[in-house]
């Protein structure tokens, strides 16, 4: 059975009233308490007031008063008086002097009403069913202040403001300030003050204020004002709407204000204020109601619609509108002469069928409008019966996360429905999860997406609560950063990054300027899933700079360097001397295969024709002239496109004159030809063709032999070709390599003699790759790399090296230098700390660049850590020192390898490591130090980059132990008696201090401890007393003593071992009367070494022998067992209870107690038989119809009545029950008349009449029969249908 609710009593006998005063006046608030010694506090805006120049607080017995001197506008606020647990709120309204006269009369009327209501309330105080008005005064311990107690505080009507005046949201009529939440204590989230709902008349101004405390925010809060759900009011700011923002630097509070100017009816509706700061969010909903222009306060519009009659009857006479033309004073006097009746209260208590009568009686013309407002008032007064806790107005969740909505219902067994945008949510898959735990109902939305941003409603029966869910997209982060690139001029550049979301929008910038697609399509932006690429076609010097890609969650930067590489000439064109009909070939080789060029002869471009051929294969450019003629002689030039230099050579035409001399000419070799150098050495690049064209003369034609050393060169391997023509011998090797290098001899013989010439051929090539580079050291953003020269320089000296680096996880190598670097040690800079890199090297000679070397071992640029901090001496003895320190403040991106500790004698600079290797701990003990010496110590931190700067002690330390007095530190839990149960383990750790190590002695009650039962363990800092299984005999007082030489310290600890108590003794039944038995017993002999906390008394019926507990923890040794059942015989038992538990055995009563029976007579109740009879009543009337002749027609209605009524059908008031043309049916109260193939004579008025013993009822309708193919001539009017319905009712 539930306990009755305690009625709260107010501490006030008389409560202060709300007052209206003009500026400069003095106001006195008075109150009386129930008790004369009650302490009273006065508050203003929840702040306590104290007596001073402004406020005077007086107390005389149970009478208390608050006087406010020289009232100003700032004093117009909420006040409260508190006594005990009761709090009463009241207001002070401060008005200007010109409106005070209008207010005084209205306040006097309100005071009269208040006094009348108080007298009525006090008169009904003795009624048990009357509500306790003072109950609302009591303050719950953790609740906001209760609403204002007096109606005067809530019902005081302010003066109507003039059009255009400013109104704060909480000053509007109808807004009960005492019912508003205390924004300073009730708010959660970011708001310290939320905007409140308000009302305003057309043409007036109103302000809504929101305040946010930014003391705990890292970023300035952003606020948005919305009308409805999505309309952002920032874009509507102008003549009718102004948004303001203020910041108080002292309190760090932002004040946001929305001012609506000259309100219009369309401004009414729901508004929302949202504030956000980084990952924090809060929102608040409020409403604005716009009324028509207000009538003059106190003027009753109903007075203008009173009927004028001579006899005084209210319903007689004509409506007199002349009252509207009278002055205001006259209207006031007329209102006062009328009885004071509240039409709203009358309408609320009246039935719906009486609304029209009341409206006619009180002259109300707009009944529909009043009923709408009345319905709204009833809705506002209605409290939720289905919900204990509703949804918040709004929630926010990040995209991809889950959201859990929770409500509490009053009935645990009720079913709830969840709606999304008005559509019921079905439990399909794992998207939505519905849970029911007790009276709580949960809706979990997994993996929230933008489609889940909607309005959600929870429906319980006819009630529902709604919230809005805002899905916030998480910031798009960059998962793969841009990489630095170095390209050649004219190359294509692609800067690529990867973001966390597909389809995300990114922004590209170059040196802080946003990039767009220009007309020349210089930049192209490519998007492929999560990859974003910036493409630059044909990079130029102007494209050098820092490129940045930005998202809303981060950015990445990379540097682009564009270089112009000089074109190197591997083989220049040479002068040629050619005879008639021979072929002239100009050939050159450049470093870039893509470079095109133009050939010129004497400054005129050479065009290809049948004799002239221009070819470009790879790096080689050729100009070939067949059948050389004298006009081909001249200066030939090759000009590479895009480079400001040219290659020139001269073609000499050799005119051969043949003289017929009868004698023979000996052979002669002429070495003045292409490829001839000053030392007769021909240099050829490996892989190119070696062609030795040697002019020879002799008559007859000599025989040519080519040799290399002693070996005669013949066309054997396919690479070597020997050709002799008139005047020339040509030696060709395709694809020369290093083996073809050496001294070649050409021998020509004929009958007239022979000639011999030597040609030295040197094959040059690019050098071999250098060895893999070695990383000597690393810095914060740099490293020093070293490598060995290549084994072979390719026949040309090494002119330098080119280095490249790349990130370990990347595939793109970036060149670090374009000009060859001559040394074999290089410092690479501009790297990112913490990123893993690799290096490789190329060797360069005059021929070209070698293949790249093997990559170096991966390395990470890191800087040494900062020095350790806080180095100090923790302990010292004759031969040891204990040091401790803290980790460095800056560790960098590399892991800390450990610490190195060194020491040296004072005055020496020879530092000795304290131990081998490094230690990861931040404290060490250095042993074996010389006693009495002054030593200096230092510590350095080590990482991949090496040791940090050392940190040393401020001064040298003398190695000598310092004596410390012994001191025992008893833990707080051992300063009182330690209670343990039998067989529990006891482990006492007693810390102490003292140097050198003290002598420790334990004793119990002055006697030494038994080592078999108690174990003692000692260390340098504590002593431990250990008992594995405690016994009762271990209870007592334990003492511990520390002694160093002649100084000692002692401490004591009390231990109590407790056990279960014994059973009580001598349980007796002292008396039996009625349904009661008196018991008495004695305490147990053994209390278990602790106090007996009570007894458990149990009873059992001897028939069932089932034991039931009567008392638990009963303190006395006698009791009365009541409410026993008559006719049963009982026995009893008792357990003793202490802090350990119940005694093992109970004490049973020696005798039993029998409860005697008493006689009684059962009288069954009498019941009055219920009369179920009911007169007939038609629940559904007949409906007039128009049917086509020749087709069966039916008329239906429904009737109810007890007993079952007799039904009769009539046509034009004639009984048609026995006519064969009609068939009547009756099923479950539904009556049907079927007319078979009606004709025009069957039209008329049909009536159905039901009769039983309790009464009768009838309904009728019209039936129209029309010929086929025609339409009804007239429709049944709405008035006739309503008349039929009203008749049925």
């Amino acid at each position: 059975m539930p306990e009755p609710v305690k009625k709260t009593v107010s501490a006030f006998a008389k409560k202060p009233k709300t007052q209206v005063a003009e500026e400069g006046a003095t106001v006195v608030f008075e109150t009386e308490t129930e008790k004369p010694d009650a302490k009273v506090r006065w508050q203003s805006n929840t702040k306590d007031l104290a007596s001073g120049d402004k406020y005077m607080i007086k107390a005389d017995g149970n009478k208390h008063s608050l006087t406010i001197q020289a009232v100003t506008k700032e004093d117009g606020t909420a006040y409260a008086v508190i006594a005990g647990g009761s709090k009463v709120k009241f207001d002070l309204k401060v008005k200007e002097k010109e409106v005070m006269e209008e207010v005084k009369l209205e306040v006097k009327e309100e005071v009269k009403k208040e006094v009348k209501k108080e007298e009525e309330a006090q008169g009904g105080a003795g009624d048990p069913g009357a509500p306790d008005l003072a109950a609302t005064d009591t303050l719950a311990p953790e609740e906001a202040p209760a609403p204002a107690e007096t109606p005067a505080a809530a019902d005081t009507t302010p003066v109507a403001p003039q059009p255009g005046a400013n109104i704060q949201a909480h000053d509007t009529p109808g807004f009960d300030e005492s019912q508003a939440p205390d924004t300073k204590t009730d708010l959660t989230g970011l708001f310290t003050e939320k905007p409140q709902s308000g009302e305003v008349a057309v043409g007036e101004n109103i302000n809504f204020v929101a305040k946010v405390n930014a003391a705990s925010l890292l970023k300035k809060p952003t606020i948005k004002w919305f009308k409805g759900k999505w309309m952002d009011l920032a874009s509507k700011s102008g003549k009718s709407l102004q948004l303001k923002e203020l910041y108080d630097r002292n309190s760090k509070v932002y004040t946001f204000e929305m001012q609506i100017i000259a309100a219009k009816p369309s401004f009414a509706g729901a508004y929302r204020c949202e504030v956000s700061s980084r990952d924090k969010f809060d929102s608040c909903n409020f409403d604005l109601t716009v009324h028509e222009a207000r009538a003059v306060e106190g003027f009753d519009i109903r007075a203008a619609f009173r009927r004028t009659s001579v006899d005084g009857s209210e319903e007689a006479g004509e409506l007199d509108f002349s009252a509207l033309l009278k002055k205001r004073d006259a209207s006031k006097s007329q209102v006062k002469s009328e009885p004071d009746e509240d039409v709203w209260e009358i309408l609320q208590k009246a039935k719906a069928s009486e609304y029209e009568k009341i409206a006619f009686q009180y002259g109300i013309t707009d009944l529909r409008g009043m009923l709408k407002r009345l319905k709204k008032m009833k809705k506002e007064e209605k409290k939720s019966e289905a919900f204990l806790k509703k949804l918040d107005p709004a929630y926010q969740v990040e995209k991809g996360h889950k959201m859990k909505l929770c409500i509490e219902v009053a009935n645990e067994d009720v079913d709830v429905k969840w709606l999304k945008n008005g559509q019921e949510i079905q439990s399909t898959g794992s998207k939505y999860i519905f849970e029911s735990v007790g009276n709580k109902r949960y809706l979990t939305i997994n993996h929230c997406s933008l489609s889940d941003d909607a309005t959600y409603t929870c429906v319980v029966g006819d009630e529902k609560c709604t919230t809005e869910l805002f899905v916030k997209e998480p910031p798009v982060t960059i998962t793969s950063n841009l990489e630095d690139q170095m390209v050649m001029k004219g190359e294509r550049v692609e800067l690529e990054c990867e973001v966390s979301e597909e389809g995300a929008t990114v922004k590209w910038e170059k040196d802080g300027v946003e990039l767009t697609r220009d007309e020349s399509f210089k930049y192209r932006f490519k998007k492929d899933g999560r990859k974003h690429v910036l493409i630059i076609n044909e990079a130029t010097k102007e494209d050098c700079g820092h490129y940045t890609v930005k998202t809303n969650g981060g950015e990445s930067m990379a540097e682009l360097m564009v270089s112009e590489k000089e074109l190197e000439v591997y083989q220049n064109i040479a002068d040629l001397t050619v005879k008639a009909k021979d072929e002239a070939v100009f050939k050159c080789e450049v470093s870039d295969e893509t470079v095109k060029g133009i050939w010129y002869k004497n400054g005129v471009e050479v065009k290809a024709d049948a004799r002239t051929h221009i070819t470009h294969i790879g790096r080689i450019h050729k100009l070939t002239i067949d059948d050389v003629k004298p006009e081909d002689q001249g200066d030939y030039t090759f000009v590479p496109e895009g480079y400001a230099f040219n290659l020139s050579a001269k073609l000499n035409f050799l005119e051969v004159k043949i003289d017929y001399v009868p004698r023979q000419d000996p052979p002669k070799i002429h070495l003045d030809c292409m490829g001839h150098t000053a030392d007769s050495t021909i240099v050829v690049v490996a892989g190119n063709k070696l062609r030795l064209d040697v002019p020879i003369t002799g008559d007859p034609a000599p025989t040519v032999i080519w040799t290399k050393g002693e070996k005669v060169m013949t066309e054997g391997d396919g690479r070597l070709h020997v050709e002799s023509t008139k005047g020339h011998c040509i030696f060709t090797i395709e694809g020369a390599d290093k083996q073809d290098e050496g001294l070649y001899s050409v021998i020509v013989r004929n009958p007239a003699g022979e000639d011999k010439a030597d040609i030295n051929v040197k094959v040059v090539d690019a050098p071999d790759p250098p060895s893999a580079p070695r990383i000597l050291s690393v810095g914060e953003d740099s490293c020093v790399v070293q490598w060995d020269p290549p084994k072979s320089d390719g026949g040309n000296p090494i002119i330098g090296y080119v280095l490249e680096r790349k990130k370990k996880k990347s595939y793109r190598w970036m060149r670090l230098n374009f000009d060859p670097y001559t040394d074999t040690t290089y410092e690479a800079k501009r790297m990112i700390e913490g990123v893993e890199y690799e290096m490789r090297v190329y060797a360069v000679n005059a021929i070209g660049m070698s293949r790249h070397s093997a990559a170096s071992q991966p390395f990470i640029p890191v800087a040494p850590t900062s020095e350790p901090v806080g180095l100090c001496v923790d302990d010292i003895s004759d031969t040891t020192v204990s040091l401790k320190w803290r980790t460095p403040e800056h560790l960098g991106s590399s892991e800390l390898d450990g610490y190195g500790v060194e020491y040296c004698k004072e005055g020496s600079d020879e530092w000795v490591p304290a131990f081998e290797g490094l230690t990861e701990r931040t404290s060490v003990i250095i042993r074996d130090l010389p006693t009495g010496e002054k030593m200096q110590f230092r510590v350095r931190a080590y990482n991949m980059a090496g040791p940090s700067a050392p940190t040393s002690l401020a001064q040298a330390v003398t190695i000598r132990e310092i004596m410390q007095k012994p001191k025992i530190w008893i833990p707080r839990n051992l300063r009182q008696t330690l209670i343990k149960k039998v067989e529990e383990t006891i482990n006492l750790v007693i810390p102490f201090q003292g140097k050198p190590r003290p002598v420790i002695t334990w004793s119990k009650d002055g006697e030494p401890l038994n080592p078999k039962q108690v174990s003692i363990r000692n260390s340098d800092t504590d002593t431990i007393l250990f008992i594995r299984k405690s016994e009762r005999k271990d209870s007592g007082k334990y003492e511990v003593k520390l002694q160093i030489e002649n100084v000692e310290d002692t401490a004591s600890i009390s231990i109590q071992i407790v056990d279960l108590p014994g059973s009580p003794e001598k349980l007796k039944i002292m008396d039996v009367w009625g349904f009661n038995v008196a018991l008495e017993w004695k305490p147990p002999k053994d209390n278990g070494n602790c106090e007996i906390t009570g007894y458990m008394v149990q009873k059992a019926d001897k028939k069932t022998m089932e034991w039931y507990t009567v008392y638990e923890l009963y303190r006395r040794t006698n009791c009365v067992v009541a409410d026993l059942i008559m006719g049963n015989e009982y026995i009893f038992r008792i357990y003793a209870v202490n802090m350990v538990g119940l005694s093992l055995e109970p004490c049973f009563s020696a005798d039993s107690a029998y409860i005697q029976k008493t006689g009684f007579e059962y009288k069954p109740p009498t019941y009055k038989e219920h009369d179920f009879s009911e007169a007939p009543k038609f629940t559904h009337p007949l409906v007039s119809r128009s049917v086509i002749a020749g087709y069966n027609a039916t008329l239906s209605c429904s009737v109810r009545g007890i007993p079952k009524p007799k039904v009769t059908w009539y046509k034009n008031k004639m009984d048609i029950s026995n006519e064969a043309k009609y068939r009547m049916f009756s099923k479950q109260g539904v009556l049907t008349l079927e007319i078979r193939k009606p004709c025009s004579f069957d039209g008329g008025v049909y009536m159905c009449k039901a009769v039983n013993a309790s009464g009768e009822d009838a309904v009728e309708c019209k039936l129209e029969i029309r010929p086929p193919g025609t339409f009804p001539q007239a429709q049944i009017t709405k008035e006739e249908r309503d008349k039929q319905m009203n008749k049925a009712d």
Side-chain angles (χ1 to χ4, degrees), residues 1155-1208:
I1155 308 301
Q1156 298 290 336
K1157 292 184 179 180
T1158 57
F1160 62 90
E1161 182 181 357
Y1162 174 72
K1163 295 181 179 180
T1166 59
Y1167 300 98
K1168 183 180 179 181
E1169 185 176 357
H1170 183 69
D1171 184 12
F1172 291 96
S1173 62
E1174 181 182 1
K1177 182 177 181 181
F1178 283 91
T1179 58
H1180 192 283
L1182 292 172
V1183 179
S1184 299
R1185 296 187 61 189
S1186 175
V1187 300
I1188 300 174
Y1191 294 89
N1192 290 356
T1194 59
L1195 300 175
S1196 299
C1197 62
S1198 61
V1199 68
R1200 72 179 182 188
I1202 300 175
K1204 183 178 180 180
K1206 179 182 179 182
V1207 178
T1208 308

Side-chain angles (χ1 to χ4, degrees), residues 507-525:
K507 183 171 71 173
W508 292 90
E509 293 181 356
K510 176 181 180 289
D511 296 329
V513 179
E514 185 176 0
L515 300 179
T516 58
R517 290 186 177 90
D518 52 15
E519 296 180 357
S520 62
F521 293 97
K522 176 70 175 177
Y523 303 104
R524 290 198 302 118
F525 307 98

